[in-house]
Amino acid sequence: MIYVMRHGQSQANANRIVAGHQDSPLSLFGREQAARAGMALQRTLAIDLVVSSPMKRARQTAEIIATYLHYPQKKILILDNLEERHLGELEGKSYDETPYGNGNVEGAESVAGIEPIAEFYKRVKAALAIIEHRPEKTIVVVCHNGVGRMLQVIAKGDQPIDIYKHPRLQNGAVYPLGNDN
């Protein structure tokens, strides 16, 4: 079974800044969210593999949960294709500076420099193929809101643009792949 976890709150999230592909570390609250998730995972699941985006906010979350799972940090599988979507000209702007808020809305598809949705889908699908071919049975994938939603799109056989029909993933929350909880 594959579980998808959105990283804990990043500094960009806390400051209401569109991060997208820009790297941002976890906030103190984000570290606390990761610790709570790690404790919950330790109590409820026997995780065989921790996978992470290479971006700082996801890696830090994966390292924190690995500590609670007694999982060696050096064994965390880092997959570049799990990086968050490039959000073009929105990146680095305040949610209030754009007509698209945090950038995770269908209207933002026309923003200059945004990673085309078909390319984003293809990239995330390649990461999922690697994960699905692993021998481990219970896997947690620490990623981002956009990536997590796209993983749900792929798991359900939806079209790339259907990402906007899937609910936003909450920071520090864990979801079974294929379920929109």
Side-chain angles (χ1 to χ4, degrees):
M1 180 72 181
I2 299 172
Y3 294 86
V4 175
M5 178 182 179
R6 183 177 179 198
H7 59 78
Q9 180 192 64
S10 68
Q11 244 355 105
N13 296 144
N15 295 334
R16 298 180 45 81
I17 300 294
V18 178
H21 201 257
Q22 293 184 350
D23 224 346
S24 176
L26 290 178
S27 66
L28 179 58
F29 181 61
R31 295 181 77 74
E32 292 169 2
Q33 288 175 314
R36 281 195 303 273
M39 287 185 267
L41 285 169
Q42 179 189 39
R43 286 191 309 270
T44 58
L45 296 171
I47 300 293
D48 302 315
L49 177 65
V50 177
V51 181
S52 179
S53 156
M55 300 185 84
K56 189 177 289 184
R57 55 197 185 263
R59 264 194 358 254
Q60 288 176 325
T61 300
E63 290 167 357
I64 292 167
I65 67 167
T67 300
Y68 286 93
L69 297 172
H70 306 289
Y71 187 91
Q73 289 185 7
K74 66 181 184 233
K75 288 191 171 186
I76 296 171
L77 176 62
I78 305 294
L79 294 178
D80 290 345
N81 281 346
L82 293 175
E83 288 181 342
E84 183 57 295
R85 186 178 186 191
H86 294 269
L87 294 175
E89 290 182 350
L90 298 178
E91 291 185 5
K93 293 185 178 172
S94 163
Y95 295 174
D96 301 323
E97 284 182 76
T98 83
Y100 308 110
N102 63 17
N104 292 299
V105 296
E106 191 168 351
E109 287 300 317
S110 62
V111 168
I114 195 167
E115 181 178 4
I117 193 109
E119 291 300 313
F120 182 48
Y121 175 90
K122 182 178 173 184
R123 175 166 64 81
V124 173
K125 189 171 185 174
L128 183 57
I130 291 168
I131 295 164
E132 289 177 329
H133 286 94
R134 297 285 307 193
E136 294 86 358
K137 300 291 181 213
T138 309
I139 301 169
V140 62
V141 179
V142 182
C143 57
H144 310 273
N145 178 53
V147 173
R149 289 168 75 191
M150 190 58 80
L151 284 166
Q152 296 290 6
V153 163
I154 295 162
K156 292 194 173 202
D158 293 341
Q159 295 301 308
I161 199 67
D162 292 334
I163 190 172
Y164 300 109
K165 295 178 183 175
H166 291 266
R168 181 173 180 75
L169 304 184
Q170 298 303 309
N171 290 108
V174 180
Y175 305 85
L177 186 59
N179 292 336
D180 287 331
N181 292 332

